[in-house]
Amino acid sequence: MPSTTTSPKHFVLVHGLSHGAWCWYKVVSNLQSAGHRVTAVDLGGSGVHPSRLEEIATFSDYVQPLIQFMESLSGDERVVLVGHSFGGLPISVAMEKFSHIVSAAIFITAYMPNCRDPPALQMNQYFKNLKPETYMDCRFTFKDGLPVSAELGCDYLATVMYRSCQSEDLALAKMLIRPSRLFLEDMSKDSILTINKYGSIKRVYVICEKDQVMDEEFQKFVVEDSPPDEVKSFPEAGHMIMLSKPNDLALYLQEIANTYP
């Protein structure tokens, strides 16, 4: 790949389930220091977004802050969308709606839907393989046998999700994590993605081989289900790669942005 010392880019970073813009703070600092513009978005009911969980009834409510931000951009601007984990779904919607201003999309150990099936296909596969002992002290609410919302437990954060992170990042997460809806019902409808829009954008998938939230086998299933243009594998990275390996990730984001201008 080419050098990262080319023209500045605009990266739009989208967090995963129960997180917020705060989880990108190290990557934001790295990219800004390299001269790039960076926007980290709080989705509905996440991070410091003012809405409460019960006010976020639909997936459209959840992604609205990202949609509003994309609408604020000028038509001649180009952005690189980056989605982590559950954040792969919101950036997919943004890719479909704003394909004319997205130069590339990067899915980091994330859901990455295809243009054939409802996005819930990958989510159902994930929950099908999820063993009760895996989610430890996380709490779920259910409707008709399907998980509706999730609240991540402290033991789960420490043992599974933040296992590769520094203790201060775990402490920050315990202070800022919020419950979140899963929107499986919304995601079970026909695919909202098209080949002409979503499918026209270059997609790159980042596999985190030591991820215990979305294990390597599931990440490879996602890649096979919706083949991207490029796959990068980080051998020692856990789920929260933006916190455990921010320098490596920031460099790779810049390389991708330069490859797909």
Side-chain angles (χ1 to χ4, degrees):
M1 285 186 176
S3 167
T4 60
T5 57
T6 56
S7 61
K9 304 296 191 296
H10 185 179
F11 294 91
V12 179
L13 311 179
V14 180
H15 60 82
L17 192 76
S18 296
H19 285 68
W22 57 266
C23 71
W24 295 103
Y25 77 98
K26 295 181 182 180
V27 173
V28 169
S29 177
N30 271 274
L31 293 175
Q32 287 178 339
S33 295
H36 300 288
R37 180 182 175 190
V38 190
T39 302
V41 178
D42 279 316
L43 297 175
S46 305
V48 299
H49 189 273
S51 294
R52 300 186 304 274
L53 177 66
E54 54 269 26
E55 296 173 316
I56 306 299
T58 66
F59 188 70
S60 294
D61 295 334
Y62 182 64
V63 301
Q64 190 58 28
L66 174 61
I67 300 304
Q68 287 179 334
F69 171 75
M70 297 292 286
E71 287 174 341
S72 74
L73 300 175
S74 63
D76 58 355
E77 188 165 359
R78 296 292 179 270
V79 300
V80 178
L81 284 173
V82 183
H84 174 248
S85 194
F86 195 76
L89 298 174
I91 70 167
S92 296
V93 172
M95 291 162 67
E96 178 70 18
K97 289 181 176 291
F98 304 97
S99 58
H100 58 292
I101 60 173
V102 179
S103 60
I106 304 166
F107 295 76
I108 303 173
T109 184
Y111 293 119
M112 182 175 61
N114 58 51
C115 296
R116 306 180 311 273
D117 306 302
L121 181 143
Q122 293 180 4
M123 298 175 68
N124 288 329
Q125 182 67 30
Y126 176 78
F127 283 106
K128 178 182 176 181
N129 296 336
L130 192 64
K131 298 178 175 62
E133 62 269 20
T134 305
Y135 50 80
M136 302 174 64
D137 59 339
C138 296
R139 288 178 285 189
F140 294 89
T141 60
F142 292 86
K143 179 182 178 181
D144 299 328
L146 294 175
V148 174
S149 66
E151 184 174 355
L152 305 182
C154 289
D155 291 343
Y156 176 81
L157 291 174
T159 307
V160 179
M161 185 170 279
Y162 280 74
R163 183 173 182 176
S164 302
C165 299
Q166 297 177 350
S167 59
E168 54 264 40
D169 292 324
L170 173 60
L172 181 68
K174 289 179 178 179
M175 294 176 184
L176 298 177
I177 288 284
R178 296 175 65 178
S180 181
R181 295 195 186 280
L182 297 168
F183 309 106
L184 266 170
E185 186 175 351
D186 286 3
M187 295 293 99
S188 296
K189 298 170 184 175
D190 292 341
S191 177
I192 56 175
L193 308 176
T194 64
I195 294 175
N196 290 339
K197 293 184 177 181
Y198 171 84
S200 69
I201 298 169
K202 298 296 184 182
R203 289 181 289 130
V204 178
Y205 198 91
V206 175
I207 291 178
C208 298
E209 294 184 13
K210 298 297 184 182
D211 190 343
Q212 294 183 302
V213 177
M214 290 183 161
D215 62 27
E216 185 180 5
E217 181 180 355
F218 179 76
Q219 294 173 70
K220 289 182 176 178
F221 160 76
V222 171
V223 168
E224 291 173 4
D225 181 62
S226 182
D229 296 275
E230 183 180 322
V231 178
K232 167 72 171 180
S233 188
F234 282 86
E236 299 302 320
H239 190 68
M240 301 304 294
I241 183 175
M242 72 283 283
L243 294 171
S244 62
K245 293 185 176 294
N247 297 341
D248 293 343
L249 181 58
L251 285 172
Y252 187 59
L253 296 183
Q254 293 173 82
E255 289 176 349
I256 293 171
N258 293 336
T259 303
Y260 305 110

